[in-house]
Amino acid sequence: MIMRFHWYKNGYLVDSQDSPRACGPGTTKEFTLRSSDKHATWVNWEILRV
């Protein structure tokens, strides 16, 4: 499973990044993601079953 995060600025998508893959029930991974645009606001995420 991967989570995809989207950052927006002034209503426009400015960056997207994926988390590290975590597989199996109860599997967790800590991660830190930052947009390349420091003024962007993260407002959306989705789970990708890869």
Side-chain angles (χ1 to χ4, degrees):
M1 182 180 315
I2 294 174
M3 294 181 70
R4 178 166 291 156
F5 294 84
H6 305 282
W7 284 268
Y8 291 84
K9 179 179 172 183
N10 298 324
Y12 295 96
L13 179 66
V14 294
D15 202 0
S16 293
Q17 293 181 11
D18 293 344
S19 72
R21 180 184 294 246
C23 296
T27 302
T28 62
K29 289 193 177 182
E30 286 192 38
F31 57 93
T32 302
L33 300 175
R34 289 189 176 87
S35 172
S36 57
D37 184 331
K38 66 180 181 179
H39 299 289
T41 303
W42 165 75
V43 295
N44 190 24
W45 60 272
E46 61 184 308
I47 296 174
L48 306 175
R49 299 187 193 283
V50 180

